[in-house]
Amino acid sequence: MTVLNGEDEVVELCRDLIRIDSTNAGDNAGPGERAAAEYVAEKLAEVGLEPRILESDDRRANVVARIAGEDSSRDALLLHGHLDVVPFNADDWTHHPLSGEIADDCVWGRGAVDMKDMDAMILAVVRQRLSQGRRPPRDVVLAFTADEEAGGTYGAQWLSEKHPDLFEGCTEAIGEVGGFSVSIDEARRLYLIETAEKGIAWMRLTAHGRAGHGSMLNSENAVTELAEAVGRIGRYEWPVRLTQTVKTFLNEVSANLNLEFDPDDAEATVAKLGPLARMIGATLRNTANPTMLAGGYKANVIPQTATAHVDGRFLPGHEEEFFATIDELLGPNVTREFVYHDIAIETGFDGPLVRAMADALVAEDPGALAVPYTLSGGTDLKAFSRLGMRGFGFAPLRLPADLDFSGMFHGVDERVPVDSLRFGVRVLDRFLDAC
């Protein structure tokens, strides 16, 4: 077998994946992930693995493979990444989002940060290690999933429910949205490791009233009832609730930025974090943002019903408080139902796996300091946690200080620096040696 170099391969792997259209609009009508899954499976098979492609529906494909470790009696580790990406409007982009263009020392395209970069890094490091005959200390399961961008119904959730045997022995997992750097100064960088995720409550609100002519008096107007409920929810100021992960993050950041952290005024500390404030600010409290409204079919007809959608996110340990508050804000004449609902998760920032992540980062960047943080969104970790896995977001990237990385998730001109991809391969390789 030809000996491969992951740093040499990772950029082209990332470009190839970006060029495969795996757009997921949440309607199960897009191109699906089959082509991307076949590409991944081929790359894994080339180095001696036996990947399985599992379709949950037409074109909705997942890839799973297992690498035998030096000691298969130990608990196994899961490395996972999703193959789907969110939609885009190509006219808004500097370089076409399916081009995989290299410009300004970056790979451009939809999925460059979410998360075909990590898919490419996993492929690159696995291909390198297996071509060199280097097995990990314990079994490692690889999962490349469908449908993460729409909740994982055809991906991680389906795999965990229908094929739990593929993850036998897995007690820990690493995935996306963590391990990226935030510069403190020229010599020091924080690397944010995701240890918690907010829960998800996408809700449809419905108000029922009395239909009638728009020119007449109507005290049971569904549109009015709905609008008032939506206004109450949208304007509600949720109280700050500092979870353990958020406290640890703010203490670490404050100490390293020479900031005074007052637990009674956490927002003041977050406000000083620059672009990172958008991501971290949403982890101080539950949130509920109205996103869609619908009602009526003619200007002079009062409809019998009106509907709205709300994107709700609740902190670990605060789901009950979240729904109690929502129900109070809705009032007696508006009902709610779930469009999508999933759990919040949180784990501690301790143990051998955490040390392996931190040590691998420092070995490649002496100015690295690993810190835990809470993700305001959600990932496939939720599904895998139901199989008893302790999960982390760890897709290591050393980033330029002026790159607004968090702002590119689902954004325009998504791109990842070439050097960051190569850095990620080196870190993951060290991490797998120590895992």
Side-chain angles (χ1 to χ4, degrees), residues 130-393:
L130 293 181
S131 74
Q132 297 170 349
R134 296 165 55 216
R135 291 193 295 163
R138 54 172 162 161
D139 283 10
V140 171
V141 175
L142 309 175
F144 298 85
T145 63
D147 199 39
E148 190 275 344
E149 296 293 1
T153 301
Y154 299 98
Q157 287 197 40
W158 180 80
L159 285 172
S160 62
E161 292 169 4
K162 303 297 184 182
H163 297 278
D165 55 300
L166 296 176
F167 307 98
E168 183 179 353
C170 288
T171 57
E172 296 172 310
I174 65 166
E176 63 174 326
V177 205
F180 57 91
S181 69
V182 177
S183 293
I184 300 174
D185 51 40
E186 290 185 3
R188 297 178 299 162
R189 278 155 295 282
L190 300 174
Y191 284 83
L192 277 61
I193 311 297
E194 186 220 300
T195 61
E197 296 180 3
K198 294 178 81 172
I200 302 173
W202 296 342
M203 297 171 286
R204 181 185 297 109
L205 312 184
T206 303
H208 297 276
R210 176 165 47 87
H213 198 288
S215 67
M216 298 183 183
L217 297 175
N218 190 322
S219 60
E220 301 174 45
N221 189 315
V223 174
T224 301
E225 290 286 352
L226 181 74
E228 290 175 346
V230 167
R232 288 192 295 269
I233 291 171
R235 288 190 294 269
Y236 182 72
E237 293 187 12
W238 294 85
V240 171
R241 298 284 188 255
L242 296 184
T243 63
Q244 185 57 53
T245 297
V246 172
K247 287 179 186 176
T248 303
F249 171 83
L250 291 176
N251 276 316
E252 291 279 358
V253 169
S254 298
N256 282 276
L257 295 180
N258 297 317
L259 300 174
E260 182 178 347
F261 171 46
D262 180 359
D264 294 325
D265 190 11
E267 291 179 298
T269 300
V270 171
K272 298 173 183 177
L273 300 181
L276 195 61
R278 287 197 307 272
M279 177 181 285
I280 301 303
T283 68
L284 299 182
R285 50 169 55 86
N286 297 329
T287 59
N289 286 306
T291 55
M292 298 170 64
L293 285 169
Y297 50 89
K298 197 171 186 294
N300 64 343
V301 177
I302 298 171
Q304 188 171 359
T305 62
T307 62
H309 286 73
V310 172
D311 183 342
R313 311 283 174 140
F314 50 88
L315 291 164
H318 294 277
E319 182 174 1
E320 184 176 340
E321 176 192 28
F322 174 82
F323 286 116
T325 302
I326 288 292
D327 289 341
E328 183 178 346
L329 293 171
L330 286 177
N333 300 316
V334 180
T335 61
R336 63 172 172 88
E337 59 183 323
F338 290 125
V339 176
Y340 181 73
H341 177 214
D342 210 344
I343 57 175
I345 55 176
E346 185 170 33
T347 189
F349 194 59
D350 54 13
L353 199 72
V354 170
R355 288 196 297 273
M357 288 185 274
D359 290 348
L361 287 167
V362 171
E364 292 297 332
D365 179 4
L369 174 64
V371 296
Y373 88 105
T374 300
L375 179 65
S376 60
T379 74
D380 283 341
L381 279 177
K382 295 182 187 297
F384 294 126
S385 74
R386 292 188 170 94
L387 295 179
M389 294 184 219
R390 182 183 183 213
F392 301 88

Side-chain angles (χ1 to χ4, degrees), residues 68-88:
E70 293 174 354
D71 183 359
S72 290
S73 68
R74 291 182 56 196
D75 292 336
L77 171 70
L78 172 65
L79 271 60
H80 63 95
H82 62 84
L83 297 172
D84 61 323
V85 297
V86 294
F88 53 81

